[in-house]
Each structure stands twice: as C-alpha cells, then as structure tokens.
Amino acid sequence: MRLDHKNTLRIPAAIGVLLAGAAVAADFPNRPIRLIVPQAPGSASDTVARLVGAELVQQLRQQVVVDNRPGGALMIGMELVARSVPDGYTIGYAPIGALAIGPNIVRGLTFSVLKDLQPIAHTTTGSMLLAASPATPFKTVRDVIDYAKQYPDKLSNASSGNGTPGHVGFELFKFMTGTRIVHVPYKGGAAGTIDLIAGQVQLMMESSNSMTPHVKSGKVRGLAVSTPTRSPAFPDLPTIAEAGVPGYDATTWTGIVAPAGVPPAIVAKLNLEINRATAMPSLREKLMAIGSEPVSSTPAQFGEFIRRENAKWADVIKRSGAKLD
C-alpha cells in the first residue's frame, strides 16, 4: 500500500476485494436460508437434509427452510438451485442421484451440475444392501453369481426406479460379474420390496436404511453391502467386494451445493458451519441411526469427489444402456 499525493491511503484492488468479501461473510446470514431438496418429504435425502438443516440453524443463528422440489430424476430441484441468485441464501441438498447419476441419464438438460453448481461440503456417506428373496436358495453373493452365469436372464432384480442408485449399482454388479439379470423397475422402493418378499423378483439393491427392518425381521435375506467397508449396522455381513467381486463400490452419499458464483468468503463460511454441524455428537448419532455416516470436506475436495463420481457412473450408464422410463 502507498499514500497518494493527497496523503490518503490507497488500498490495492485485490486487498480491497478480500476485505469486502470478509465484511459480507461476517454479516452472513442475516435472513433465512432456503435449502432445496430434490426429493419428496419423507424420502431418505429429505430426512437427512432436515436433520442437517436443524443443526445448521444452531450454527448459523438463522432459520433454514427446507423446500422440497421433487421430479425429473432429481434434476428439477438441482436446476432451481443452479438458476438461483448466487448469494448463499439458496443452497441445495444433493444426493448421489442428483450430482452423479441423474445428469448422465436425463437427456436435454439445460444446465451442468459440474459448471453451474458450486460444491460447498460433502455431508454423509451410506450403503446399499444387496438382498435376496427368502423364496430363493441364495445365501451368498457367490451363489447368485454362479446361478446367474448358469442360467442367464432367469433371475430378476427389483429397483425403486430407473436411474436410481439401486438400479445403476446393480448394473455395475452385473458388469463386474459378467452376469445377465433382468432389471425390473418399480415406482418406489416399497413396491419393489413387497415383491421381493413375495418372491416375484429374486434380488434387490436398495438403501440400507430402507432394507434394515426387513432383513432384521427375516422377511428378506441380506447378502452383502455395497460399500468398500462393512456397515456398522451389519458387522457380520460382507461387502460385495469381499464376497466375490473385488473392487466393487457403490457407496451412496449426499452433500450441499449452491449456484456457481457464490462469493468465496460465503462459501468458506458455509463449509465451516456445515462441517461443524456434522461433527456434533448429537447429529452424528441421529445420522448413524438411519444408516448415514457423517463426513466433512473442503469445497475443493467435494468438487473433485463429484467429478470422479460423475465420470464413474456416466461410464456405468453408458455401458449398461440404462435409460429412464
């Protein structure tokens, strides 16, 4: 810095921008924040979003209003976030389907999740459960693979719909095992689970949160979990990778994003407070109870994670030919 001829202090432009950004962040938020959830009330993502949002109220000392915008394979809600004013007052709670699967299976999108959304923080990871109908003889993943190879297209797997994590996660399973199993999409996980219990379909991959009661009651048979490490809820249940498919990983996850262009100081403040929220013991306990493991990240780390996941599932969708209804 230097003094001009009038002896007034001249601040370099870059420092001025930093000071202005710090001032904006210090005052943020001074009104309620809208948290857009691209799924219906009561869905898995909605449940997690409301738990995280409630803790953020305490951290930010400002109301966090959940705004459910389901439809379009989660793309309606994400587009609304992308088109919002980039001031930090509209953010989105995004599951894997919104940032890594939907963008690669929905045709004609007018926005890009990689360019038009600003990663804020990775919040949770979760697992899916590979389950078999009790009407089948399958006790292990190897039993399924051996039967499917001997009898191509004789087995069917349910999912909660085309383009869902359970759908593409099973497509990855089939690709990695070289098996042919018929996909049967349902309009929601509950309907698919009913037919799995009844033996109308033989297999299903669905969120551990949804499947846990049915496995514990004996209505369906849990074979393995989709994550690289075992689930605390089922410590005796192997991972799919352990059970005969080395390298298999279909971890589910959620995170918070905002429109691209939010001032860096506000991004940093939101990231700090979200990470503080997910580290709170009370919130961690609630999330773990429903099968979600809290995580933390920087915005850059979350952005790189989204890019890797997006590329991974784009490849699976392309090779499988998965399409929406």
Side-chain angles (χ1 to χ4, degrees):
M1 293 180 289
R2 64 182 178 83
L3 295 175
D4 65 13
H5 68 281
K6 293 183 178 180
N7 295 324
T8 57
L9 188 65
R10 180 174 293 175
I11 301 175
I15 296 179
V17 170
L18 289 174
L19 292 174
V24 169
D27 188 49
F28 177 87
N30 56 27
R31 65 178 190 270
I33 292 175
R34 180 168 63 152
L35 179 59
I36 294 175
V37 178
Q39 291 181 305
S43 63
S45 293
D46 176 73
T47 300
V48 176
R50 289 176 186 276
L51 289 173
V52 174
E55 188 60 46
L56 274 178
V57 170
Q58 305 303 314
Q59 300 293 331
L60 295 171
R61 306 297 184 200
Q62 191 57 256
Q63 188 177 8
V64 176
V65 181
V66 174
D67 183 357
N68 296 93
R69 297 299 182 100
L74 311 187
M75 293 297 97
I76 289 176
M78 287 298 96
E79 182 171 15
L80 183 59
V81 176
R83 303 301 185 210
S84 297
V85 177
D87 56 8
Y89 287 96
T90 297
I91 57 180
Y93 205 90
I96 178 176
L99 298 179
I101 298 174
N104 293 300
I105 204 168
V106 176
R107 304 303 176 199
L109 288 180
T110 58
F111 75 104
S112 166
V113 299
L114 299 180
K115 296 178 181 179
D116 298 324
L117 293 172
Q118 165 66 53
I120 301 295
H122 191 174
T123 50
T124 69
T125 62
S127 65
M128 292 186 287
L129 199 66
L130 175 58
S133 168
T136 70
F138 306 138
K139 300 292 194 299
T140 67
V141 172
R142 177 50 59 186
D143 291 342
V144 173
I145 296 171
D146 290 345
Y147 186 96
K149 285 187 173 181
Q150 186 174 359
Y151 303 103
D153 299 320
K154 294 297 183 182
L155 295 177
S156 58
N157 70 283
S159 79
S160 55
N162 286 319
T164 58
H167 172 203
V168 297
F170 212 107
E171 293 300 326
L172 177 62
F173 176 83
K174 289 187 281 189
F175 176 79
M176 293 182 70
T177 57
T179 54
R180 286 166 43 188
I181 299 171
V182 180
H183 172 230
V184 182
Y186 286 79
K187 293 188 180 299
T193 303
I194 290 171
D195 275 4
L196 181 71
I197 293 170
Q200 299 300 314
V201 290
Q202 292 77 47
L203 301 161
M204 187 173 187
M205 191 177 290
E206 187 56 84
S207 71
S208 295
N209 183 24
S210 300
M211 279 293 185
T212 293
H214 305 297
V215 172
K216 292 191 172 179
S217 68
K219 291 181 179 179
V220 301
R221 187 179 300 129
L223 302 181
V225 294
S226 68
T227 42
T229 58
R230 296 195 180 198
S231 167
F234 295 97
D236 296 329
L237 207 59
T239 67
I240 292 175
E242 287 179 308
V245 193
Y248 182 89
D249 178 9
T251 301
T252 57
W253 48 269
T254 66
I256 292 179
V257 296
V262 174
I266 290 179
V267 170
K269 185 167 186 176
L270 282 169
N271 175 265
L272 175 66
E273 299 302 344
I274 291 166
N275 286 338
R276 283 178 174 170
T278 55
M280 293 298 292
S282 57
L283 178 58
R284 291 183 66 86
E285 183 178 348
K286 291 174 184 176
L287 291 173
M288 294 292 282
I290 60 172
S292 294
E293 182 176 352
V295 295
S296 62
S297 75
T298 65
Q301 288 170 337
F302 186 39
E304 180 56 32
F305 176 80
I306 292 170
R307 285 188 286 274
R308 290 197 309 269
E309 286 283 288
N310 196 289
K312 170 184 174 176
W313 293 110
D315 185 54
V316 171
I317 289 167
K318 181 179 180 179
R319 288 187 299 191
S320 69
K323 297 180 181 179
L324 293 179
D325 294 329

